[in-house]
Amino acid sequence: MSKYRQLQQAYQQQQLIDVIMRATNDIYTGKVCQLNPHHVLMQVYNDYGLLNGYVIVTIRAIALVNTSSGDLQRIKQRIFLAQEQKLLGAPPLILPHFSDQDLLTAVLQYLCKQRQVALFVGITQYHYQQAQIINVKAKQLQLSLLDFFDFSDKEVVRTFLQSQLEAVEFGGQELEQATSFFALQPQHTLPVIVKANQYLETLLKPLLGSSTLLMVYVNISHNNFYVGQVINVTADTVVLSLVDQDGRFGGYALIRLDAIKFVSAQTDYLKMINVYRTWHQKAHTFVQPVLNDQMKFSVTDFWQNTFEQLTQLQLIIRIQLRQLDTDFLAYSVAAKATSVQLAIFDDLQAGTTQIHEFKYQDLERVAFGYLNSYFTKTELIK
């Protein structure tokens, strides 16, 4: 059966489906809203089972259409949980009915008129580009490119062929917030990035109790960082209350000071996330109802006290050891004075674990209390 026929059938039956992209391996999970032989418009869900806007996909760029899989079943369960727990999502975007004959052009013209920020897939060698549409022609479109990390480039306009597009994402939480944010015409701020040194503890302690957001980099390539505010500092560890890319509470991270490469409290990206956080705090949507942003961390017996809490709450944690390049999922079984027993998941599909004991001094990073870990707990710990 052709992919178009599969999509047509899914549309007629209003099935939840996975669309897997050929070049990027991205997976779009959702339901078909409209389609023609060349393009399909879907309303999609994120990994938390929450509606997250739309995507229009070029059918020739699709590798596979799934109507039944383990991943789909997992998302269905998460959709049910999200509704049951009344999780906070973006207000649904109501679209007009577009012309089926030239669906892509109609969607692009709508995005242009609304000045919406969208994610364009396939038009550059990096595949992904956030932009606003300036003009739409029969075979071309002009984009004003956006960089969420650098606002210094104003009105960088490029012309692309519509035929280059593999997908266009729009209307989800992050992109809708970006639309509102860039309408404010934010000004570029020169970044201030401090290389970690022996005075890092002294630098971080004055931030205790403040709302200042930091970017904490844990490798030299600048592509692996945490965003959060400092809620505890010991002689060798900092605890961050994290903020995710949507500006909501994103759990906690315990990071060894000697694992930190750079710290910044002033970047364009931080400016944007800080605005998002303010919006959510004012709307009382900052913390998902299943999460706890009020955990306390003792300064004395810090590691034992923290893992005693994690053991009691049986939270899923993501652990990075000093001597390993990979991290793993686990939960705490027993906390001792200098070590902890962890049940490490060795088979996520089966949910099986192996018990290992680690000294606290061997733990480099620990993350927990974020939304995905809540779902993972419901799926792995029965």
Side-chain angles (χ1 to χ4, degrees):
M1 185 186 299
S2 70
K3 293 183 184 68
Y4 172 65
R5 180 63 188 132
Q6 283 181 286
L7 293 166
Q8 200 174 41
Q9 194 173 79
Y11 176 54
Q12 292 166 350
Q13 298 175 6
Q14 279 299 285
Q15 286 179 293
L16 189 72
I17 60 171
D18 275 344
V19 167
I20 303 169
M21 302 300 289
R22 192 183 308 280
T24 61
N25 291 322
D26 288 337
I27 301 176
Y28 297 114
T29 301
K31 293 183 178 181
V32 176
C33 300
Q34 285 187 244
L35 80 160
N36 64 23
H38 305 291
H39 298 95
V40 56
L41 176 65
M42 297 174 60
Q43 187 173 33
V44 293
Y45 291 87
N46 63 18
D47 286 340
Y48 310 137
L50 295 166
L51 284 172
N52 196 41
Y54 299 84
V55 63
I56 183 164
V57 178
T58 302
I59 293 176
R60 60 173 168 73
I62 297 174
L64 192 64
V65 177
N66 266 339
T67 57
S68 177
S69 68
D71 283 340
L72 270 176
Q73 190 57 40
R74 179 178 62 87
I75 288 294
K76 286 179 182 178
Q77 291 169 348
R78 290 190 172 197
I79 291 170
F80 173 79
L81 264 178
Q83 293 172 346
E84 183 181 59
Q85 298 296 334
K86 296 181 171 55
L87 295 189
L88 307 166
L93 177 66
I94 307 302
L95 295 182
H97 184 83
F98 300 110
S99 165
D100 288 334
Q101 186 174 0
D102 200 350
L103 183 58
L104 177 61
T105 299
V107 170
L108 295 176
Q109 287 173 340
Y110 167 81
L111 295 176
C112 180
K113 183 178 180 181
Q114 300 296 320
R115 293 290 294 164
Q116 285 193 263
V117 174
L119 180 68
F120 297 82
V121 183
I123 58 173
T124 70
Q125 60 180 327
Y126 304 109
H127 285 296
Y128 307 101
Q129 177 65 59
Q130 294 101 343
Q132 291 172 304
I133 301 175
I134 301 298
N135 193 19
V136 181
K137 298 181 180 179
K139 294 184 179 181
Q140 294 180 330
L141 69 160
Q142 280 186 318
L143 300 182
S144 175
L145 308 186
L146 299 172
D147 186 339
F148 290 3
F149 291 86
D150 185 353
F151 306 155
S152 62
D153 291 329
K154 297 293 185 182
E155 288 294 309
V156 178
V157 177
R158 301 278 171 79
T159 300
F160 300 93
L161 295 173
Q162 288 191 32
S163 59
Q164 290 177 263
L165 291 172
E166 295 174 7
V168 182
E169 302 175 25
F170 63 96
Q173 179 84 66
E174 186 178 4
L175 292 171
E176 285 292 276
Q177 289 182 165
T179 299
S180 299
F181 178 76
F182 282 100
L184 301 174
Q185 298 183 329
Q187 298 302 302
H188 173 60
T189 300
L190 286 174
V192 176
I193 299 175
V194 178
K195 187 176 181 179
N197 54 57
Q198 67 267 35
Y199 303 109
L200 190 55
E201 180 190 357
T202 305
L203 180 71
L204 294 174
K205 275 194 172 178
L207 298 177
L208 278 169
S210 82
S211 61
T212 301
L213 286 181
L214 294 180
M215 292 177 75
V216 176
Y217 302 86
V218 292
N219 67 21
I220 59 174
S221 66
H222 285 201
N223 62 1
N224 192 358
F225 61 87
Y226 297 87
V227 172
Q229 61 191 70
V230 177
I231 58 171
N232 203 347
V233 182
T234 71
D236 63 359
T237 305
V238 61
V239 183
L240 298 178
S241 177
L242 301 176
V243 179
D244 67 17
Q245 73 267 21
D246 292 334
R248 286 194 168 105
F249 171 67
Y252 301 92
L254 282 55
I255 308 171
R256 295 285 187 182
L257 297 183
D258 60 10
I260 295 173
K261 305 303 181 190
F262 303 94
V263 175
S264 177
Q266 182 174 300
T267 69
D268 284 347
Y269 183 73
L270 277 177
K271 181 188 291 187
M272 182 174 69
I273 296 300
N274 194 49
V275 170
Y276 292 175
R277 179 180 63 171
T278 300
W279 289 345
H280 283 300
Q281 287 172 336
K282 287 182 178 178
H284 304 289
T285 56
F286 178 62
V287 185
Q288 292 287 359
V290 296
L291 301 183
N292 175 16
D293 68 332
Q294 300 298 317
M295 284 188 68
K296 304 298 181 185
F297 299 89
S298 172
V299 174
T300 58
D301 301 323
F302 169 75
W303 286 94
Q304 182 178 4
N305 175 268
T306 298
F307 274 93
E308 282 174 349
Q309 291 186 70
L310 295 176
T311 303
Q312 183 180 8
L313 297 171
Q314 211 172 26
L315 295 183
I316 293 288
I317 53 182
R318 186 168 287 279
I319 298 279
Q320 174 76 55
L321 296 177
R322 288 180 181 274
Q323 63 269 34
L324 291 180
D325 291 332
T326 59
D327 54 15
F328 53 84
L329 287 179
Y331 60 90
S332 179
V333 176
K336 302 177 183 179
T338 61
S339 63
V340 60
Q341 285 187 342
L342 298 177
I344 300 173
F345 289 98
D346 57 0
D347 187 331
L348 292 177
Q349 287 191 334
T352 57
T353 60
Q354 291 186 13
I355 305 296
H356 294 275
E357 188 161 338
F358 299 95
K359 292 182 179 180
Y360 295 131
Q361 65 187 29
D362 294 328
L363 306 183
E364 180 178 285
R365 282 177 276 150
V366 183
F368 55 90
Y370 48 95
L371 190 54
N372 198 51
S373 67
Y374 162 77
F375 284 106
T376 304
K377 177 180 178 179
T378 66
E379 293 159 357
L380 295 181
I381 304 180
K382 308 302 180 184

